[in-house]
Amino acid sequence: EVQLVESGGGLVQVGGSLRLSCEASGSTFDDYATGWFRQLPGKEREGIACLNRIGGSPIYADSVKDRFIVFRDAMKKTMYLQMISLKPEDTAVYFCAALYLGHTKIWNYAPCDAQSYDNWGQGTQVTVSS
């Protein structure tokens, strides 16, 4: 089972940029679909950027498309979320998640709903100030 730790959150100004990291331990991401999610107080956790088992087929929520990019490093130990042109409505706790698919022959499945995932990090706060 993979363990996940997010980092890189903080306070930024409107229009600024931030890069979040999700580090895997116990395993690489090779056998996992992965994703980034965010949650505002009182709201449901929302999928914003997800990847299939091999780190491809990125899926983005409409609210972040053209502003956020999700990718993994070459060693498949870290997943990143590069965020630009940040807006106050991006303020949230950001989580990374992983879904084990190593027991299957599935390579191109990239779910981006929270219910599909069973391994979660603890989250990192992103606050965008006006």
Side-chain angles (χ1 to χ4, degrees):
E1 180 177 316
V2 68
Q3 293 80 49
L4 307 173
V5 178
E6 303 97 334
S7 62
L11 176 64
V12 298
Q13 294 179 332
V14 170
S17 300
L18 205 61
R19 186 175 72 179
L20 305 183
S21 299
C22 174
E23 184 178 355
S25 61
S27 180
T28 70
F29 288 126
D30 187 61
D31 291 331
Y32 295 84
T34 56
W36 284 99
F37 298 77
R38 67 185 184 187
Q39 188 167 21
L40 278 68
K43 298 195 70 175
E44 191 172 276
R45 193 167 296 183
E46 173 194 17
I48 56 171
C50 299
L51 295 169
N52 68 12
R53 182 176 173 180
I54 59 173
S57 298
I59 302 294
Y60 297 100
D62 288 342
S63 58
V64 306
K65 188 176 182 180
D66 299 324
R67 298 190 299 119
F68 293 7
I69 298 174
V70 59
F71 60 97
R72 298 176 186 167
D73 67 3
M75 298 301 295
K76 306 181 181 70
K77 290 287 291 183
T78 308
M79 179 176 65
Y80 298 96
L81 184 67
Q82 181 66 55
M83 306 183 292
I84 66 170
S85 302
L86 284 162
K87 306 174 180 179
E89 52 263 44
D90 294 320
T91 296
V93 178
Y94 285 71
F95 299 87
C96 65
L99 172 66
Y100 182 66
L101 297 172
H103 61 294
T104 75
K105 298 287 287 184
I106 298 171
W107 300 95
N108 197 36
Y109 180 52
C112 215
D113 59 297
Q115 298 96 307
S116 291
Y117 289 85
D118 54 3
N119 291 289
W120 294 88
Q122 293 300 304
T124 185
Q125 176 73 47
V126 172
T127 302
V128 184
S129 63
S130 301

